[in-house]
Amino acid sequence: RFIYEYKFVMDSTKTNEITSEIMFLDVAKKGSKFYSQKKSIADSIHQERIQKQTRDFTGIDYGNVPFVVEKSYPGFANSFFINLDMNKYRVSDDRKIDWKILSEKEKIGELNSQKAVCNFAGRIWTAWFVSDIPIQDGPYKFYGLPGLIIKIEDKTKSHSFVLKEVKKLIPDQEWT
């Protein structure tokens, strides 16, 4: 499990108001799953209350990031999941990311990283990846660099993902 801090501007008319949420990138042989820690906890509490036949869902903090992104290996087929009202939606995203790997290097925390840039979803992104972690994945829909993406932000700094922690998952923690 790679734990990222996601900082983002929720309202483009209030660019000085930055929201932050902890996000998980769980990596397994079959692929990866990227989701909010708060949403994960809230979903568990919600399910527990349903099992106990409790219809009171007050006090559950779902956070500000309602989506889940799953990528299946080896092709990195991207699935974006979101709930709107009572409906659940899955959107497949087959856009390829055309990275330009640059020679610039930077030490981020204890990790030696290298810079890459791309234009994705209408934004210019700058990423820092670590070849020492041979996982060609990263937060959100990002993938395809020769190592784990440990930091990525868009040019306007409206969206930023920074790796904060790494934890080993036990096999029964893998999603289905």
Side-chain angles (χ1 to χ4, degrees):
R1 172 171 288 165
F2 298 96
I3 302 169
Y4 291 83
E5 181 180 24
Y6 175 29
K7 290 183 179 180
F8 56 101
V9 174
M10 288 185 66
D11 182 342
S12 63
T13 65
K14 299 176 183 172
T15 57
N16 59 338
E17 292 181 20
I18 297 173
T19 303
S20 177
E21 193 144 337
I22 298 299
M23 304 292 292
F24 294 153
L25 175 66
D26 291 350
V27 176
K29 288 180 182 173
K30 64 183 172 186
S32 67
K33 180 177 180 178
F34 184 71
Y35 58 100
S36 161
Q37 177 187 37
K38 281 186 177 180
K39 182 181 180 327
S40 175
I41 292 167
D43 287 346
S44 295
I45 293 168
H46 187 101
Q47 287 304 317
E48 184 180 298
R49 290 185 185 177
I50 287 174
Q51 287 174 354
K52 291 181 179 176
Q53 298 182 346
T54 302
R55 292 289 172 210
D56 178 13
F57 300 112
T58 59
I60 300 176
D61 182 1
Y62 284 90
N64 292 304
V65 183
F67 62 80
V68 173
V69 177
E70 289 184 10
K71 298 175 217 127
S72 60
Y73 299 160
F76 288 92
N78 236 310
S79 294
F80 182 88
F81 297 90
I82 191 145
N83 295 346
L84 298 173
D85 292 326
M86 297 300 290
N87 299 309
K88 294 181 180 185
Y89 295 93
R90 174 184 171 202
V91 180
S92 296
D93 188 349
D94 60 358
R95 290 177 289 179
K96 300 296 178 212
I97 302 174
D98 185 21
W99 292 104
K100 181 178 180 186
I101 298 175
L102 306 174
S103 60
E104 189 175 338
K105 298 189 181 211
E106 183 175 301
K107 190 164 182 116
I108 298 176
E110 299 295 315
L111 301 170
N112 295 313
S113 64
Q114 187 169 348
K115 188 176 184 178
V117 293
C118 73
N119 185 334
F120 180 74
R123 296 178 184 271
I124 306 292
W125 295 89
T126 299
W128 295 90
F129 67 95
V130 178
S131 299
D132 293 341
I133 303 174
I135 298 170
Q136 297 183 355
D137 210 338
Y140 190 55
K141 297 179 179 183
F142 298 104
Y143 69 94
L145 287 168
L148 180 72
I149 298 169
I150 62 167
K151 180 179 178 181
I152 185 165
E153 64 186 4
D154 74 326
K155 186 177 182 178
T156 66
K157 300 196 186 316
S158 305
H159 298 274
S160 167
F161 301 92
V162 179
L163 182 67
K164 294 296 183 182
E165 190 178 350
V166 179
K167 288 187 175 180
K168 184 158 179 64
L169 289 177
I170 54 175
D172 68 344
Q173 285 181 301
E174 290 183 10
W175 72 100
T176 54

